[in-house]
Amino acid sequence: MKNKSKYTAAAAQLGPIDPGDTKESVVARMLDLLIEAKTKETALVVFPELCLTTFFPRYYITDPANLDTYYESEVPISLMSDMFELVRKEQIIISFGYAEKDNGIPFNTSVYVDSSGNIIGKYRKIHLPGHYEYEPERPFQHLEKRYFTKGNLGFPTFDTTLGRLGMCICNDRRWPETYRVLALQGCEVVTLGYNTPKHYPLAPEHDHLQEFHNHLCMQAAAYANGMWVIASAKAGLEDDCELIGGSCIISPRGEIVAEAKTTMDELVVAQVDLNECKLIRENIFNFNLHRQPEEYKLLTKIKL
Ligand code: ING
């Protein structure tokens, strides 16, 4: 497939996945969104974080056998064979997130699959939010620090026919460093998925700002790094826990060019033009001309 600088991209938002939903039923929903993307001649489709199951870090799971059912020891190619077939036939690149066990080590992972049908990129979540110990006072847990290990692949970028792509996952999107590390490698499009509860038990005063904060961090980053951001939510009322929607596609100008209208399965589509990255990167955020890294040493000090 020849390189494209202009193409149609989509955030494939998923509505709630209830604890009793099988992975097969979820993959069937993902396939429906992928078929819709195909009818709209979409080249890049981004699915949410941990998109095969309910957001299980909300539970304190003590039975190791039960916890293990949420993880995949390898990319579930057989489970997603119809999707991979469509990706191959239609020259689409997809990304999706899943819980990975790599030789027993658990990661919150996302991958790219391209028309070769191969995994052409992998990222493991670095900013793990939440807590490790069970906190009974919470209305629901957020045990990502218990169930996952910090990612060990850095913030890689991947040269594809759709430009230089990079991934992050959920809480990573709130940290400006995530995008700058990717931008310094020439990343043009950041794809990410998220599961974000509306209620944040430690700061309920901010609950009404969740949707605003969601877009704020990505819009600022897209602009300050001259990158497209494609963000796909797992949304809606999932086992009595409300997850925000707001899936969107953000241009290097920092503008939201497409946004989800619902908190259900929804394909959010927009035209991407990689040349818009240059307009920012060669002018206001020309790193070589204007950036002063010798002044930023504090940014990478481990302990202040
Ligand atoms: N979820 C949340 C996120 O960063 C969170 C955690 C929720 C942080 C609300 C701050 C406020 O969007 C995941 N999975 O990281």
Side-chain angles (χ1 to χ4, degrees), residues 23-32 52 79-80 83:
K23 291 177 185 173
E24 288 74 11
S25 68
V26 176
V27 169
R29 288 164 56 188
M30 292 171 70
L31 182 62
D32 285 347
L52 298 175
L79 179 70
M80 305 174 84
M83 287 180 65

Side-chain angles (χ1 to χ4, degrees), residues 135-146:
E135 295 183 6
E137 67 283 357
R138 286 175 178 252
F140 48 85
Q141 304 298 302
H142 200 116
L143 290 164
E144 291 197 57
K145 292 187 190 300
R146 187 181 190 87

Side-chain angles (χ1 to χ4, degrees), residues 49 55 125 129 142 144 170-171 173-174 195-197 200 210:
E49 168 194 34
F55 186 70
K125 186 173 183 178
H142 200 116
E144 291 197 57
C170 204
N171 197 256
R173 79 188 185 288
R174 299 179 189 275
N195 288 251
T196 299
Y200 190 73
Q210 290 300 352

Side-chain angles (χ1 to χ4, degrees), residues 297-304:
K297 291 189 183 59
L298 210 50
L299 279 183
T300 58
K301 270 174 78 76
I302 303 292
K303 289 286 175 229
L304 297 185

